[in-house]
Amino acid sequence: MDRSNRVSGYRPELDGIRSIAILAVLGFHVGFSDWSGGFLGVDVFFVLSGWLICGHIHDALRSGQFNPWTFFARRIRRLIPAAFACYLIVTLVVLALFLPFEQEAYLRYLLGSAFFFNNFVLMSEAGYFASEAGLNPLLHTWSLSIEEQFYLVVPWLALLIRRSARAFAVLLAVAVVVSLGLTIFSGQAIHDDDARYFSSLFRTWEIAAGGLAYVMTRGRDLPRFPGLALLALMAVLAPIFVFDETLLHPGSGVTVVVAETLGLILLARPDRSLVGRMLASRPMAFIGRISYSTYLWHWPLIVFLGYVGHDFSDATRALTILGSLGFGYLSYRVIEAPVRSWGVPARGRALFMLFTAQSAAMLGLAAVLIMLSAGRDDGSGSRIAGILEAGKVGNEQWESCWYDPAAPESCRFGQIGGSGRPLVLWGDSMASSAVSAFDVLARERQAQGMAFVIPSCAPLLGLAHENANEADCLAANDAVLGWLQAQLASDVFLFARWPMYFEGYQHTDLDSFGSAKYFGPGVVAVEGAPHDIAEQALRATLAAIPKHHRVIVVGPVPEYRWAVPDAMVRAIRFGSTPETLTRAEFDRISLKTRARLADLVEAEGAVFIDPADTFCTIDFCPYAEGDVPIFADAVHLAILGNKLLSQAIERYFLDAN
């Protein structure tokens, strides 16, 4: 019999797999762009949990020693004390920092987390990937809720099947088939993207699959498969860096992560592979052991740092990860490890009493929140709500407007079927945020409009900035040009975050001039000065658009270093004053680009509109008018920003006539 396959025997490589899962989640949550699929680390946790916990239940059933109360006592010992300490301290920080209306919202998450139904609370609210999630310090406990819902049901089912280990295996198999089938074939028929993310229905199979794999391989000495452990490791790691939040999740994509996690569990054993020895190494096993406490603490830390105005750079992201691991280690040493040394069932009654006391304390905290937040509305709540509502991206079609090769004409605006000269908007996410400005212009002309907008992809033929998906950007721009070549005369507006492409800086770093990489056809790197590279590509675009179209290039609008609505909200919370962008700073970033654009566009016989004087005075570029933000974040236009852009375009045409 392969002793390493027994739940009762400690396998340090499983803690190593846990370390991969927690590091993936940390990298994603702090905002490392390369870790765009790090949320899949939770799926790895689910599989490991199923292997270990369902495996323990199965072994107890086989030996005739399964007792649901002993099982629940073990779950209390494992989870509750560390979670209670975290929730208590988080609640105290919420009481100190959050405004009354924010405390009222937090109350739902506290109760949902403490009593394992937070996923249901979140299913009806903002999604996991939504910006509002940044104000919920207990967002991450949805996964703990799902796991415990599973383990609250399974022991009683074990009793119903008369403690039969064979029937338990069948039960796990049925759970995998039903839940996986619904996950893959339901699409959005049962829940939309946000709701399905939090649904137990689509997660049960992941936990059950771990348990079923244990049952099927228990006691079997698996043959050696040289190299497969390494392939399994690579297959677990790849989705973390390849997938992103656009993935329908849970969906068919997660089957890869689940299958390869099982592959690691079965194949990556220290006595059989280098991968197993690496996973079982002291650093990896250590991070795995503190992964639960680290998971508890990392998200509140991120939320509170963001709440007080902390801006994340790569250095501070790394420090936040280290801080999360530090909190996790402290919680593990002070709470987890001592409590886990308690014997079960000898101290089972004490554990249940502890759970009862902590539950009562959570209810008491909830009552305190209700009393403190009641009647304390000083108007800041409605004021903040107004800012956030006015600070939404100006394009109501933002989520559905992105260019799709399968439906290239899906983003329409203006008067559909109108008799006026059609409008075409072509650009990057800046153009997407400005669709409503062009909608106003089209309706005034009784014309229909079409938008072709690609994230981080300016209308520069044969050129892609590294912040874009280079191959998709190049292909999409070629497709838009082909579409224009087949259309009747239109007004074609080119609008983008021009300085980013002409100065060659990164999304979030306005001081990184010249640091960006560029790619041409075939996704081959392009060398040269950013202004020269971008100018050549824009000249190619203007030359390729058929002459029966009139081309209007709209220049850049101001860019801030911080998200405007968030800064305005922080000003209310903490009495701070957001720093206004000076005209000199805006000109430092954009003046050279605007001058090159004006000269190039005029030379090519197109029209150039510079909105700078509409958005800025001689001295400043305001971020808001009163409590109405101009920008939805640091650069994209909110509703008021769209109105200003409309004014700039209309002013040009009025002056031209």
Side-chain angles (χ1 to χ4, degrees):
M1 175 177 174
D2 182 1
R3 296 183 182 274
S4 69
N5 200 29
R6 294 178 57 191
V7 170
S8 57
Y10 173 60
R11 292 180 54 185
E13 73 275 17
L14 298 188
D15 273 332
I17 299 174
R18 278 198 186 98
S19 71
I20 293 175
I22 190 61
L23 291 174
V25 171
L26 291 175
F28 173 74
H29 278 164
V30 299
F32 279 122
S33 58
D34 291 340
W35 296 64
S36 58
F39 56 89
L40 294 166
V42 174
D43 301 286
V44 176
F45 278 128
F46 281 149
V47 177
L48 278 167
S49 174
W51 172 275
L52 292 166
I53 308 305
C54 292
H56 174 81
I57 294 173
H58 180 264
D59 282 357
L61 290 171
R62 279 177 58 90
S63 63
Q65 297 177 345
F66 179 73
N67 183 317
W69 298 110
T70 300
F71 174 81
F72 289 139
R74 291 180 183 276
R75 298 305 293 162
I76 291 171
R77 183 184 65 175
R78 174 72 177 93
L79 301 176
I80 301 303
F84 172 77
C86 177
Y87 300 161
L88 174 62
I89 294 174
V90 167
T91 301
L92 294 177
V93 176
V94 165
L95 287 170
L97 282 183
F98 280 23
L99 295 173
F101 81 98
E102 294 168 331
Q103 293 175 8
E104 290 178 12
Y106 171 76
L107 174 62
R108 298 191 298 274
Y109 311 132
L110 174 63
L111 292 175
S113 300
F115 298 102
F116 309 119
F117 62 88
N118 202 29
N119 61 313
F120 294 118
V121 175
L122 294 167
M123 282 176 69
S124 60
E125 298 188 1
Y128 181 72
F129 303 105
S131 59
E132 295 90 340
L135 283 175
N136 180 359
L138 296 181
L139 173 75
H140 62 315
T141 65
W142 66 269
S143 60
L144 303 179
S145 295
I146 286 178
E147 190 172 331
E148 290 319 297
Q149 288 160 20
F150 182 89
Y151 294 125
L152 282 171
V153 172
V154 164
W156 304 118
L157 292 178
L159 293 183
L160 289 176
I161 58 177
R162 299 184 179 183
R163 292 184 169 88
S164 166
R166 184 184 297 269
F168 181 69
V170 174
L171 179 68
L172 292 176
V174 171
V176 170
V177 171
V178 173
S179 177
L180 178 58
L182 287 172
T183 301
I184 293 177
F185 299 112
S186 67
Q188 293 182 322
I190 298 178
H191 295 304
D192 61 19
D193 287 359
D194 290 341
R196 74 183 284 119
Y197 193 91
F198 299 118
S199 174
S200 305
L201 190 64
F202 302 119
R203 302 287 188 170
T204 296
W205 74 273
E206 300 179 45
I207 304 173
L212 185 62
Y214 175 85
V215 171
M216 293 176 65
T217 60
R218 184 186 185 281
R220 291 181 173 83
D221 191 7
L222 298 178
R224 295 177 183 269
F225 296 99
L228 281 185
L230 179 60
L231 289 176
L233 176 63
M234 293 173 64
V236 168
L237 293 176
I240 295 170
F241 303 100
V242 174
F243 292 161
D244 60 28
E245 61 227 43
T246 62
L247 178 74
L248 180 66
H249 188 70
S252 57
V254 77
T255 57
V256 175
V257 178
V258 171
E260 298 310 327
T261 300
L262 291 173
L264 274 182
I265 293 171
L266 294 170
L267 301 172
R269 300 175 186 170
D271 60 337
R272 293 193 170 196
S273 71
L274 178 62
V275 170
R277 289 190 289 277
M278 182 272 292
L279 291 172
S281 65
R282 286 188 176 182
M284 296 291 286
F286 168 75
I287 294 174
R289 284 195 299 274
I290 66 171
S291 61
Y292 171 60
S293 282
T294 300
Y295 186 81
L296 284 173
W297 282 102
H298 84 284
W299 185 249
L301 180 61
I302 292 169
V303 168
F304 291 141
L305 287 173
Y307 190 92
V308 300
H310 175 79
D311 292 321
F312 286 93
S313 64
D314 283 351
T316 54
R317 289 184 179 100
L319 289 174
T320 303
I321 289 177
L322 291 175
S324 300
L325 292 169
F327 277 105
Y329 173 71
L330 184 64
S331 173
Y332 176 80
R333 292 291 297 174
V334 175
I335 301 172
E336 265 198 84
V339 174
R340 290 177 70 177
S341 67
W342 292 10
V344 176
R347 302 185 72 171
R349 176 172 295 183
L351 286 166
F352 280 107
M353 291 177 62
L354 177 65
F355 175 69
T356 302
Q358 292 178 346
S359 298
M362 286 292 105
L363 292 173
L365 279 175
V368 170
L369 277 169
I370 293 172
M371 290 186 293
L372 290 178
S373 61
R376 286 202 299 137
D377 186 5
D378 56 2
S380 59
S382 58
R383 188 180 173 196
I384 287 175
I387 290 172
L388 296 176
E389 180 63 28
K392 292 181 178 179
V393 174
N395 178 16
E396 294 182 355
Q397 303 179 70
W398 175 265
E399 296 294 338
S400 59
C401 228
W402 302 113
Y403 177 79
D404 180 359
E409 300 183 12
S410 59
C411 188
R412 296 176 176 270
F413 58 88
Q415 183 176 320
I416 306 302
S419 58
R421 183 182 175 96
L423 274 65
V424 177
L425 175 61
W426 182 7
D428 59 7
S429 60
M430 277 302 305
S432 183
S433 76
V435 165
S436 66
F438 292 92
D439 178 68
V440 170
L441 180 63
R443 291 182 184 279
E444 288 177 350
R445 297 183 178 187
Q446 296 184 331
Q448 62 181 351
M450 191 81 64
F452 298 95
V453 289
I454 307 104
S456 300
C457 181
L460 301 171
L461 286 178
L463 186 68
H465 190 281
E466 67 170 303
N467 285 333
N469 183 314
E470 295 93 357
D472 288 349
C473 175
L474 294 165
N477 277 338
D478 287 341
V480 174
L481 176 63
W483 184 89
L484 285 171
Q485 289 172 339
Q487 300 303 307
L488 299 175
S490 306
D491 281 351
V492 180
F493 289 85
L494 308 183
F495 183 40
R497 191 180 176 185
W498 298 114
M500 187 175 78
Y501 307 100
F502 275 73
E503 294 289 358
Y505 56 77
Q506 304 294 332
H507 264 315
T508 57
D509 189 354
L510 302 184
D511 296 318
S512 60
F513 283 15
S515 65
K517 298 176 182 178
Y518 295 86
F519 299 89
V523 196
V524 176
V526 177
E527 303 294 336
H531 270 278
D532 295 336
I533 294 172
E535 184 174 318
Q536 182 179 355
L538 180 57
R539 183 177 287 110
T541 302
L542 296 174
I545 295 175
K547 298 304 179 186
H548 60 273
H549 295 299
R550 176 167 60 170
V551 180
I552 303 100
V553 177
V554 181
V557 300
E559 298 185 29
Y560 273 78
R561 295 177 182 270
W562 33 265
V564 168
D566 292 347
M568 294 173 67
V569 168
R570 283 198 297 270
I572 296 173
R573 287 171 175 148
F574 305 115
S576 59
T577 302
E579 182 181 352
T580 301
L581 177 70
T582 65
R583 180 64 182 260
E585 174 65 7
F586 174 48
D587 286 343
R588 181 190 73 82
I589 296 170
S590 69
L591 186 59
K592 184 178 178 181
T593 295
R594 285 152 47 206
R596 294 282 285 262
L597 283 172
D599 292 343
L600 169 60
V601 170
E602 182 180 355
E604 294 296 325
V607 174
F608 178 67
I609 298 176
D610 188 352
D613 289 338
T614 302
F615 281 82
C616 304
T617 66
I618 295 175
D619 299 316
F620 298 101
C621 301
Y623 57 81
E625 290 183 4
D627 279 345
V628 182
I630 294 171
F631 303 94
D633 46 33
V635 61
H636 296 109
L637 298 177
I639 298 168
L640 179 55
N642 273 269
K643 291 180 179 178
L644 292 175
L645 184 63
S646 294
Q647 293 172 14
I649 296 171
E650 290 170 357
R651 182 176 295 120
Y652 170 82
F653 284 110
L654 285 174
D655 292 343
N657 293 330

